[in-house]
Amino acid sequence: MVFQPKTYSVLLVSSSRKFAEAIRELLPVTDYWPVRSAGSEAEARRLMLENEYDIAIINSPLSDDSGFSLAEDISSGSDTAVLLLAPAEVYEDIYFKLLPSGVVTAPKPTSQRLISYSLRVLAAMRERLRKKAEGRRSVEEKIEEIRLVNRAKWALIEKRGMSEDEAHSYIERLAMEKRITKKAAAKTITEELALFY
C-alpha cells in the first residue's frame, strides 16, 4: 500500500483468535495503528470507553452477544467507522437493520479481498466523519467566542458604564494591543472585572 500521512486506529472484536489473526495480517502498521483486540462485547465496550478508534471491525457472533447492538451503538455514538461481518444466513436482515446507523456489513464467510476493499471504504468514511467533526468543533468554538465576548461586553456596560459599541471597541483594541484573540481578551476582561467588583 502507498504510504499514508496518517494511520487509523482499529478496534478488532472477535471471539475467534484465528479470525483476529487473519484480519491483523490485513492491517499493516504503516496504515493501521494501533490495533486493539477484544474477545467479547463487554470487553469491546470497555475499550471504547477508554479510547477513541477510527475503525471497528466486529466478527459476529461474539462470545457474549451477537455483536449487532455493539455495531449499532459504536456507529451511532461515535465517529468510528464500523464493519460488521455477519453470518450469511442472517446477513440480509442485519444489513437492512444496521444500514440507518451507517454500519458497513459483509457476509461470512468472506475473502481477504473483500475485507481489504471494506477497509478502504471504512478509511474513506472515517475521513468524512473527521471533517464533519472538525466543522462541528469550529462552529462550537465560534459560538463559545461569541458568548465570552457578549459576557465581557455586558460586564463593561454594567461595571464601567460603557455603551455597547464602546465595550465592543474596547475588547477589539485590547485583543490587538496584546496580540491575543478576542476570546482571550474577553476572558481577561471578565476575570479582571470579577476581581475588582
Side-chain angles (χ1 to χ4, degrees), residues 15-103:
S15 298
S16 164
R17 281 184 193 260
K18 185 178 176 184
F19 178 86
E21 289 168 8
I23 294 295
R24 277 186 177 269
E25 290 176 15
L26 300 173
L27 302 170
V29 294
T30 54
D31 301 320
Y32 305 98
W33 188 87
V35 177
R36 299 287 311 269
S37 293
S40 67
E41 180 171 338
E43 185 180 3
R45 288 186 186 279
R46 183 181 55 77
L47 289 172
M48 284 297 297
L49 290 173
E50 293 172 2
N51 296 297
E52 290 182 19
Y53 296 92
D54 295 313
I55 295 171
I57 302 169
I58 303 168
N59 178 30
S60 175
L62 301 172
S63 59
D64 57 348
D65 199 32
S66 65
F68 305 150
S69 63
L70 174 65
E72 190 171 36
D73 292 347
I74 290 173
S75 187
S76 299
S78 70
D79 287 334
T80 302
V82 181
L83 170 64
L84 176 83
L85 295 151
E89 60 271 12
V90 296
Y91 167 73
E92 287 293 323
D93 291 338
I94 296 309
Y95 166 79
F96 287 110
K97 180 182 180 207
L98 296 180
L99 182 64
S101 300
V103 175

Side-chain angles (χ1 to χ4, degrees), residues 175-186:
M176 284 193 314
E177 288 172 1
K178 293 196 173 194
R179 295 186 174 144
I180 57 177
T181 63
K182 284 199 308 187
K183 180 179 175 180

